[in-house]
Amino acid sequence: MSFLNKIKTFQGGVHPEEYKELTENLPFEIMPDPKRVIVPLSQHIGAPASVKVKKKDEVKKGQLLADQEGFISSPIYSPVSGKVVDVHLEPTASGFPQNSIVIDSIESEEEIRFEQLDPKTITAEEIRERVRLAGIVGQGGAAFPTYVKLTPPADKNIDCVILNGCECEPYLTRDYRFMLERSEDLITGLKLIMKALGVSKGAIGIEDNKPKAIEKLTKLCMNEENISVVSLKTKYPQGAEKMLIKAVLNREVPPGKLPLDVGVVIQNIGTALAINDAVCKGEPQITAALTVSGFGIKQPKNLIVKVGTPLSDVLDYCGGVKDNAAKVVVGGPMMGVAQYDFSAPVMKATSGILILTESEINAHEETPCLRCGKCIEVCPLNLTPTKLARYSQLEKLEEAEQLGITVCMECGTCAFVCPANIPLVQWIRLGKKRVLQIQRERKAS
Amino acid sequence: METTIIIAILTMGGLGFIFAGGLAFADKKLRVEENPLIAKVNDVLPGANCGACGRAGCYDFAVNVVEGTIGVNGCPVGGDETAREIAEILGVEAGSTTKMVPRILCRGGSSEAVTKMADYFGPLSCAAMDLVAGGDKLCYYGCLGGGDCVKACPFDAMIMNDDNIPEVIEELCTGCGICVSACPRDIIEMHPIDRQVFVFCKNLDDPKRAKEVCSVACIGCGICARKSDGGIEMVDNLAVINYDLLDESKIPFDKCRTHAIGYLNGREKHLEEVEAEEGN
C-alpha cells in the first residue's frame, strides 16, 4: 500500500482509452506554408486585437498584423509573407465566425524577427516585455495571454512555477514530443518563466504514461537544484490546473480562486517553448504545434503548422480523411470542439485535430437519469453534475448557483461516465453562462 | 372513565380558549394596516402571475399601482379592460393602450435555411443549441427552431409550424412578452397588433453569405431603402423599418428578391382584408 500512496494524483477523475500510440513515436514534421492563411483577430481570451493592415497591403512574415487592445489581449503577427486579401468574418474552430485577416502567401525568404536576447543576462522586466510583444498565449487550450500570467498582482506571493506536461487528453502527443525533442529548450523556457516571476522553485508534472519523457527530463534536471520532475498518476483531468497543483504540491485552490492565490503559476509545455523561442530566437508566435490523430485520418502526424492554416489544408497534408470518418474535433476528445466547416483556421492555441470514426464517438440516445451517482463520484471538483444539469434545464438558476455551477471547468468527466448519456456538460455550460450573466448584472447594479 | 373525558374536554377547551385569546390579541395589537385598494385592484387582475409587467406577480403589481409607481395600464395581459377597471377603483383616467403582440422576424424554417454539414446531438433547446456552434443552421442570426419561446409561453399562445418556425395565436396571446426574452437570437419583437409590414430577417451577413445561408434572408441590397423616403434604413446589411416615417405605398415589395420585407400574411391576403374592411 505504501507504494500506491506514493503515486501523486487527485480525487475523482476517469481513465479514458488513450490512443496515444497512434502518434507518440512520430517526430514533428514542419508543414509547408499554405497558399492562403486566415488569421482571426481573437486567438486569445480578452479583447480582439486591432487591425494594423488593410486590404492589398504587402506583408512580410513576422510583421505586425494586429496590435494588442487593452491589458488582457495579445498582438498578432503575419505567419507568412504575402498580400492581404481582405479583413472580414470567417468561420473559426470555436464554431462562431470572427473577424479575420486573409492573406495570400508568396514564396519569400524575408522575415521580420525581434532582436535575440541572452537568457542568462536578461532581466525579469525584459522577459515580460518580450513575451507580451511576441504575442504568446497559453497553449493549454484557454489561450490566456501569457504575459498577464507573468505579471501577478503585487499582493500575491508566488513561490512555485509548474510546467504542465500531463497531456491528459487522449490522442494528443504534442507536449510529449516537445518534451522528448526539445528538452533543453524546455528547461531554458522554465527558467525564463521562473526569472520573470522571481521564483526559485520549478516543477514539471508529467503523467506516468510517458516514462521516456520523465526519464529524459529527470536526467537533464539532475544538476538543477531548483527544478524537480514529478511523476503523476495517469488519470483525466490530471492536467487541469487545480488537479495539477493538488497532485504536485498538495495545495487546494479554493472554489472561485486562481492558482495565484495559492502561490503557483502554471504554464503549458508549449508555452514554455514559445517563451524560449521568443527570447533566444526572437520569434513571434506564428506557428502552432499540433497532433493530427484519430482512426479516421490516413496518416496521423505531429505537425508544426503556421497559424491561420485552414483545417482542410492540414487534413490534406495528412493524406486526407478515411471514408468512415464521422466527426472532426479541434482540441482533445474530452474538451475539444466539433467542427462543421473545414475552412476554419489553426489558431495559436490549437493543440490537435482529431478525425474520429463512428466507433470512437459516443452518440447514443439520451435516457433518463438512473440516479447512480457516478458523475458525482468522478467529478474532480466535487460538484453534483446531475443536479446542476437538472437545475440548468429547469432554469432554477439560484439553486444552481448555490451548488457552485460557476466552479465547473467543463472537463467532461461526468458526461464521459454517464450511463444514461445525458449531455451534462452542455446543460451545465448553459446554466453557467446564465448564472454568470446574473452575477454580472448584480455587480453592475 | 367519566373523569378522563371531563379532563380531556377541560384541557382541550382550555387550550383552545388560550389560543383564541392570543389570536384576538394579535389581531388588535399586531395588525398591519394595508391599503384596502390593493386587495380591490388585485381582484381585477388576471391572476396569472406571469411577470409581464416587470413585477413579481399580480399582487406586487397591485401594490405598485396603488402606490403610483406603475401606470394603471401597466398590465399588458389584462389590456384595456383591466386598465379601465383599475382606473375606476383608483378614480383616475385610464387612457388607452394598443395591444402589443410578438412578431417572429425570421422565416428561415427548415425548408428555407441551409443547414450545416453536421448533425446536432444534444438537448432540443434553442439556448443549448446556440452554445454549440450556433445550432445546425448556417445562419447565425435566425430562428434555431428549438421552441424555447413555445415552452416559455404561459398562455399556450405559440406553436411551432410545419416549417419549424414559431407562430403566434393572436387570440390566445396576451402580449406579456415572455417569448421575447426566451429567444436567444432576439428575433421576436413586440409590435402593435395592427402593424402589418415587417422585415422578416435579422441576418447581418454580407450579401454573398446571406444568399448562401438562407433563401429568404435580407441580403442587404438596399432597393427597398432607396425608394422609401427614410421609412427604411440599411443598418449592417439589414433593412430596418422606421415605422414613424414608413409609407407602405412607396415600398417596392415585388423588387425584394428574397421576400424578406413584406406583409404579415402575405400581400394579397392583406389587400383582400383591406378591401373587405372598406366594403363594410
Side-chain angles (χ1 to χ4, degrees), chain B residues 18-29:
Chain B
I18 294 168
F19 287 137
L23 282 176
F25 174 79
D27 186 46
K28 287 274 176 263
K29 293 285 171 188

Side-chain angles (χ1 to χ4, degrees), chain A residues 13-19 170 236 333-334 360 362 374-375 378 411-425:
Chain A
V14 285
H15 300 277
E17 199 71 55
E18 286 170 23
Y19 298 119
Y236 182 85
M334 298 295 281
E360 292 163 277
N362 185 17
K374 274 198 170 166
C375 54
V378 296
C411 66
T413 309
C414 52
F416 177 81
V417 295
C418 180
N421 298 305
I422 301 172
L424 292 164
V425 183

